[in-house]
Amino acid sequence: MNIISLRSVFVVLVAIGVGIWPRTREFLGLFQQSFGSPGNDETLALYYDDIAEKESCLNRFTDALKSATIATVGAPNHVSPEAKGAFDSLHKDLQRHFPRVWKSLRVDTVHEYSLLMEWKGADPSLDPIVFISHLDVVPATERVDAWTYPPFSGTVAQGYVWGRGSLDTKFTAVAILEAVNQLLIKGLEPKRSILIAFGHDEEIGGHKGAKALAEKLEGVTPALVVDEGGFIVEDNLSLGKTVLARGPFAVLSTGEKTAQNWKVTVRGEGGHASLPDTGSGKTVAAKLAKVIAALEANPLPTKLEAPTTDLLKSMGEVMSFWPLRWILQHADHPLLNPIMGQMMGSMGGKTLGALVRSTVGIVSVLAGGNADNVLPQAGSLNINVRTLPSDSREAVHQYFEMLTKSIDETIEIEDISAVVYPEQTVTPSDSSQFNMVKGVVQEIFSYRTAEKGAERKHGSMYHAIPVFPMLLTGMTDSRWYHRIAPEKIIRFSPFSFNISRGDLSMLHGVNEKVPVEEYYDAVRFFSRLMYKSAVDKDQSWSTT
């Protein structure tokens, strides 16, 4: 089958899904399946454990939100004199709130403000589990009165915990410490060592925090690294007005993009502004305009690859409409794959497009004469590139060379990245690492798929919430850990978003908040994950 006919088949099948399927469903009296495992018949026992010292548990979290721990580029260790007190206060609060943790674990500081902890396991032959988070937050740059409650108050109101860091990501940092605390209260000790690494400058790149922490762990071969990244999506998955499958579902990031910064410099004829060489294409402005137009018209080619193929295939398993289910389950077919990638890149908007290509963003245009009546002799573009895991720096450089040399052979291309990140890897969606985290997500959060009012108790049976792998288009501190844990990193933050309601805007935005009950579930999630991956005496799960 040639490419043109195959493309036509794909378009027809999607058109059928949007146009014909709802009417066919009504005519036949069919019902659409809810999101669930294949066949929607898998059930599992909910793990539900009450929280010891529940009120104190919440207070430990809210107190951590009261410190404005903001990292600053250019400051010593990325902490300004103004923020030093906030970081010191947070460290003291954590030590005061978690005396069992500080007594039972080895706790070291790295570059003054990052924390590296080790809960030594009984069996040194077992590779450790590493839990990553970060202690810094972005500034609350909006007017304070734009917030319902002050951003650094840690207020508990209306069923939520309010404040900067309540989602990103003191939420995970304190929940990880609380999970250890809860296990210690029960008198449990790990068989496999547990390492905890909290950076202090993730929001500005992690160069002083996570990078140094990862370097401290050189020689360690983790069985699993867990960082922030994915979350639970409450929305339905729809195509137009057709609900293809119902939420909630969870996404675990098994890979992420990385950043490169490039500078494109053009040179042209300067001179007096009263005598511009209009129409010649030789001025700096003309050359910059051509480069910008070329970048807009010729994006990097699409590549539909893991983990996005893993995402599509796993989503296909829960689709109720069989033609679309078949297409998604064959996302890595050598004929279908490039067509799907092209369609996602051209028709999927900026969100889907970012999953199938390295993106180019022009962040500044610099071209000015030294006076109002002087034409510039040089100008430049600063460009931020977010690359797929498989795209190399050489490939990006060749792309810029190809586009610019056809405009002007003298155009200069320079890699101005302040740092070169380790080569990024993708964790296979059929790996024991993915399945370990997936299993705990389903044990803790499958109650969300139960009917309202259903009793929630340990061992009660629920439909398994679907869990999908995904590519994270942003970056996390885990970018620094690929050298010690290639293909063993999973990113998940145990909270939920309703995307259509605009919940994502709370990240780095006004009124960042998290439901109180979701914080307790985060503690349950990390406690259960620590238990199954490191504490349980049966540590026979394969980590290779």
Side-chain angles (χ1 to χ4, degrees), residues 46-51 129-132 171-173 175-180 182-183 186 224-232 250-253 433-448 456 465 467 490-495 517-534:
L46 175 72
Y47 177 80
Y48 182 79
D49 198 10
D50 206 2
I51 304 292
I129 308 296
V130 181
F131 290 90
I132 304 173
F171 173 85
T172 59
I176 288 168
L177 293 178
E178 189 63 63
V180 174
Q182 295 289 318
L183 294 172
K186 295 177 181 178
L224 168 66
V225 174
V226 180
D227 195 8
E228 62 173 326
F231 47 87
I232 294 168
V251 287
L252 308 184
S253 169
Q433 288 77 17
F434 181 86
N435 288 325
M436 171 61 74
V437 181
K438 172 184 175 180
V440 176
V441 168
Q442 291 184 321
E443 286 186 9
I444 301 297
F445 297 104
S446 286
Y447 75 91
R448 297 176 188 274
R456 186 181 176 197
I465 186 174
V467 179
I490 300 293
R491 304 162 193 83
F492 179 69
S493 300
F495 51 65
E517 286 302 318
E518 287 198 6
Y519 177 68
Y520 291 140
D521 278 344
V523 174
R524 293 186 182 100
F525 167 78
F526 286 116
S527 297
R528 185 61 171 165
L529 182 55
M530 288 178 186
Y531 181 83
K532 291 189 70 174
S533 65

Side-chain angles (χ1 to χ4, degrees), residues 46 109 111 130 357 387:
L46 175 72
T109 57
H111 282 175
V130 181
R357 65 160 49 97
T387 58

Side-chain angles (χ1 to χ4, degrees), residues 271-444:
H272 200 282
S274 65
L275 298 171
D277 197 359
T278 305
S280 69
K282 297 179 180 179
T283 63
V284 167
K287 292 179 180 180
L288 284 177
K290 288 180 181 179
V291 173
I292 293 171
L295 292 171
E296 286 288 317
N298 302 280
L300 280 150
T302 58
K303 290 197 293 185
L304 180 53
E305 58 189 19
T308 304
T309 47
D310 297 334
L311 168 66
L312 297 178
K313 289 161 67 177
S314 59
M315 289 176 66
E317 295 176 356
V318 300
M319 290 293 173
S320 54
F321 179 39
W322 72 262
L324 191 53
R325 180 171 67 241
W326 184 91
I327 291 170
L328 294 180
Q329 288 179 320
H330 292 81
D332 55 5
H333 189 281
L335 291 179
L336 192 58
N337 174 278
I339 298 169
M340 293 177 67
Q342 290 173 24
M343 295 191 73
M344 289 176 66
S346 60
M347 300 166 57
K350 63 181 181 181
T351 301
L352 287 182
L355 297 178
V356 294
R357 65 160 49 97
S358 296
T359 57
V360 173
I362 300 172
V363 295
S364 67
V365 181
L366 304 173
N370 53 22
D372 289 343
N373 61 351
V374 176
L375 297 174
Q377 294 182 325
S380 62
L381 305 175
N382 284 355
I383 301 172
N384 182 258
V385 182
R386 297 299 176 108
T387 58
L388 295 172
S390 66
D391 275 348
S392 65
R393 308 186 86 81
E394 291 74 18
V396 174
H397 185 263
Q398 290 173 9
Y399 163 74
F400 285 131
E401 288 280 349
M402 178 190 69
L403 283 187
T404 59
K405 295 310 179 184
S406 61
I407 298 170
D408 185 343
E409 287 286 341
T410 65
I411 292 178
E412 301 164 16
I413 310 297
E414 181 184 2
D415 184 351
I416 59 170
S417 303
V419 64
V420 176
Y421 298 111
E423 182 180 348
Q424 305 295 291
T425 63
V426 175
T427 302
S429 60
D430 60 355
S431 65
S432 60
Q433 288 77 17
F434 181 86
N435 288 325
M436 171 61 74
V437 181
K438 172 184 175 180
V440 176
V441 168
Q442 291 184 321
E443 286 186 9
I444 301 297

